[in-house]
Amino acid sequence: MPAFFVAHGSPTLVVEQDAYTRFLAELGAELKPRAVVIFSAHWLSGVQEISAVPRYHTIHDFFGFPEELYQIEYPAAGDPALAAEIGRLLSRHQVAHRLNRSRGLDHGAWVVLRLMYPDATIPVVAMSVNPRLSPAEQYRIGQALAPLRRQNVLILASGGSVHNFKTMRWWDESQQGDRWAEAFDQWVSDRARAWDLEALFAYRTRAPHADLAVPLPGVEHFIPFFYAMGAADDQRVCRERFRSYRYGNLSHTVWQFGEAA
C-alpha cells in the first residue's frame, strides 16, 4: 500500500464537486486498505500522539463556514490494536509517544476521509504532527511506520504544500495557481522524485518562495509531507498524482510515495 500526502483544502471541499473532489473519490475507489493511519496538520503535539479510541466523534474545528458543515458527522471506528502496534514500532525507533483515548477526528482528517471513504467503514488511527521537530525527525517517524504498508494499511498525511492565508484571494475560483506557488510545488515534486532528502530537509533555504508557500505560522500544513515520505523510505518512489489551486495559491496537491505490491 503506498503512502500519500493529501491536501485537505478548505472545509467546504467536503460538500463540493470539482476536479479535486472527484480525484479523491477515485483514489478511495482505487485503494482498499484494511485500516487508515492519518497524520493531520490540525493535531499538534509536542510528543507524538496516537489515537486509540474505539469510535470517533467529529470535531468541527473551524468558524464562520456554512451551517451544513457543522451538521456533518464522520463516525469512523478506531483501531486500538493497530494503535498499540504503532506504539511498538515507534518504541523500536526510540520515538517518544503516548496513546490518546479521547480525541475525535478534526477536519484535517475527516474532510479527506469522507471524500475518499464516505461510508466511514474503514477503521482509522489518527496521529499528531510536531512542527518543532526537524524535517529529518518527522521523516524518521514516518519511516518507523513503513512495515504497516506491507499489512495493507494506508498511511495518509493531510495538510497542504502551499497554505498562506495572507496571500489567498478568496474570490478567485479559477483553479489556476500563482506562479510562485507553482514554482514551489514543482521544486518539491522534482526533489521528491529524485528522493533528494538533503534538499528537501533544507527546503526553507533552498526551495523557491518557501517563505510565501510555508509561512512559519502555518508550517504545520507542509510538514505532514515528511511523515508520508518517510513511510516509503524502503521504496523511494514518488509520483505527483494531482495538482490544482484555489483562491490563487491554496494548493490541492497529492503526492504518492511507494508503489502497491
Side-chain angles (χ1 to χ4, degrees):
M1 185 64 66
F4 289 83
F5 174 85
V6 181
H8 61 247
S10 165
T12 57
L13 194 71
V14 76
V15 294
E16 296 169 343
Q17 293 187 357
D18 59 20
Y20 186 43
T21 61
R22 288 192 294 273
F23 169 80
L24 290 178
E26 292 166 0
L27 188 63
E30 171 189 331
L31 303 168
K32 299 298 183 182
R34 73 170 179 88
V36 175
V37 172
I38 185 164
F39 292 90
S40 173
H42 289 275
W43 186 4
L44 306 183
S45 177
V47 174
Q48 180 62 59
E49 294 208 49
I50 311 162
S51 179
V53 301
R55 186 164 297 276
Y56 290 95
H57 65 276
T58 305
I59 304 173
H60 301 92
D61 52 335
F62 43 79
F63 304 95
F65 284 88
E67 181 60 29
E68 64 179 315
L69 296 183
Y70 301 94
Q71 306 307 315
I72 292 174
E73 299 290 331
Y74 192 80
D79 191 333
L82 177 57
E85 182 176 0
I86 290 170
R88 290 190 290 271
L89 291 172
L90 293 177
S91 292
R92 289 178 198 167
H93 285 73
Q94 299 181 330
V95 175
H97 59 277
R98 61 185 173 223
L99 297 179
N100 185 303
R101 294 184 171 87
S102 61
R103 194 177 191 277
L105 288 177
D106 60 65
H107 82 273
W110 64 259
V111 165
V112 170
L113 291 170
R114 192 170 188 266
L115 288 166
M116 292 179 67
Y117 302 110
D119 295 335
T121 55
I122 298 176
V124 174
V125 173
M127 298 187 66
S128 65
V129 298
N130 185 354
R132 296 189 177 184
L133 296 179
S134 69
E137 291 170 316
Q138 293 153 357
Y139 183 95
R140 187 166 68 92
I141 291 172
Q143 195 175 0
L145 305 190
L148 298 179
R149 295 177 43 236
R150 294 189 289 274
Q151 301 173 26
N152 200 31
V153 173
L154 174 60
I155 298 174
L156 296 177
S158 172
S161 55
V162 181
H163 187 280
N164 187 338
F165 285 123
K166 291 183 179 180
T167 60
M168 292 180 201
R169 300 187 298 278
W170 298 100
W171 62 91
D172 188 344
E173 296 285 355
S174 66
Q175 297 196 341
Q176 297 297 311
D178 292 340
R179 288 185 179 180
W180 62 265
E182 292 183 349
F184 177 82
D185 277 340
Q186 190 59 52
W187 183 90
V188 172
S189 270
D190 291 344
R191 294 301 89 218
R193 283 195 295 268
W195 217 269
D196 186 349
L197 297 180
E198 180 183 358
L200 287 166
F201 290 170
Y203 75 93
R204 295 215 67 88
T205 57
R206 296 179 65 170
H209 313 292
D211 287 343
L212 281 175
V214 189
L216 287 177
V219 67
E220 70 278 355
H221 277 79
F222 182 59
I223 61 173
F225 177 92
F226 296 111
Y227 292 84
M229 190 177 189
D233 183 76
D234 55 343
Q235 282 189 312
R236 296 198 166 195
V237 174
C238 173
R239 287 196 288 151
E240 183 182 303
R241 294 288 302 270
F242 189 90
R243 192 197 306 183
S244 68
Y245 297 88
R246 193 170 190 182
Y247 311 135
N249 49 67
L250 177 64
S251 66
H252 293 159
T253 308
V254 176
W255 282 284
Q256 173 180 323
F257 303 103
E259 298 285 358

